[in-house]
Amino acid sequence: MKVLRRLFVILVLIIGLFACEKDNVEISLERDGNLYEVTDLVSFYYPKDFELNANNENQKDVRFIKDEETYIYTTIIDDTDNVLDELPQLYEGQLEEDGAIDVYYSLKTIPSGIECYEFTGLYQASGMKFIQMVYFTEEASYVYGYQAPENVYEESSDTARQYLESLTVHH
């Protein structure tokens, strides 16, 4: 009986290990994504199976859509005298003002070498969860985000994060 119990525990651990490995899928941005450039200032990748919002001609605010999922890029020009170190807190407040709850942020260095703030939260009214990479400068904030319904978000957020971390600001 003890042998069967040990075999069962080992089998469960092995299945759990393989299940965890499957969740952490690495993608090739060049193969699986399309490069998008905002003039010569900003570039990033988005998934090939998403469509650029055809109604948007303003490169400072673009959307890539597939079913209920959306990647959003926005440049927010800052003509205020806000202190750079306070911008993450102010942006968190703006998200909450826009109806987001459970907003959290942390500073991380992404592969392009820039330090971005990663914001996560939920728009309560629509049920859309989001993750955003935000690069703050004294002149502008560069926001690249992903949002989807909670069930889709949970399945896709690891892949979305890899695309969001492709944000490059050439300054």
Side-chain angles (χ1 to χ4, degrees):
M1 188 68 167
K2 288 183 179 181
V3 172
L4 286 175
R5 188 175 298 158
R6 286 183 182 167
L7 285 174
F8 179 73
V9 169
I10 291 171
L11 182 62
V12 168
L13 290 173
I14 290 172
I15 291 172
L17 180 64
F18 283 112
C20 289
E21 285 294 319
K22 189 175 182 177
D23 288 342
N24 195 6
V25 175
E26 288 288 323
I27 58 169
S28 168
L29 295 173
E30 292 82 12
R31 184 187 69 231
D32 301 326
N34 289 325
L35 179 64
Y36 188 84
E37 297 176 299
V38 181
T39 62
D40 60 346
L41 187 61
V42 177
S43 63
F44 54 84
Y45 283 89
Y46 68 94
K48 283 186 178 180
D49 56 344
F50 280 66
E51 290 187 26
L52 175 63
N53 183 350
N55 296 330
N56 190 346
E57 295 178 20
N58 176 4
Q59 280 197 313
K60 291 182 180 180
D61 184 22
V62 293
R63 295 176 183 266
F64 306 92
I65 301 169
K66 176 185 162 197
D67 301 327
E68 300 175 286
E69 300 173 88
T70 306
Y71 284 85
I72 302 166
Y73 171 78
T74 304
T75 302
I76 303 169
I77 303 301
D78 187 359
D79 56 0
T80 66
D81 58 355
N82 292 325
V83 177
L84 188 61
D85 291 342
E86 296 174 356
L87 292 178
Q89 296 159 332
L90 293 170
Y91 188 72
E92 176 187 28
Q94 183 61 52
L95 288 170
E96 290 170 346
E97 217 174 275
D98 293 342
I101 60 170
D102 300 330
V103 177
Y104 299 100
Y105 67 89
S106 62
L107 181 64
K108 66 188 305 183
T109 302
I110 60 175
S112 66
I114 61 175
E115 287 189 335
C116 286
Y117 284 86
E118 179 181 284
F119 286 81
T120 58
L122 169 72
Y123 289 111
Q124 191 171 18
S126 65
M128 301 291 267
K129 286 190 84 170
F130 66 86
I131 180 172
Q132 298 177 352
M133 291 296 164
V134 185
Y135 180 66
F136 296 105
T137 68
E138 292 180 2
E139 297 81 33
S141 299
Y142 305 92
V143 182
Y144 187 29
Y146 168 80
Q147 66 182 35
E150 194 166 352
N151 60 333
V152 176
Y153 178 90
E154 296 304 329
E155 293 175 12
S156 303
S157 62
D158 288 339
T159 300
R161 184 174 276 111
Q162 292 176 59
Y163 282 105
L164 298 180
E165 289 180 355
S166 73
L167 177 66
T168 303
V169 179
H170 314 279
H171 50 106

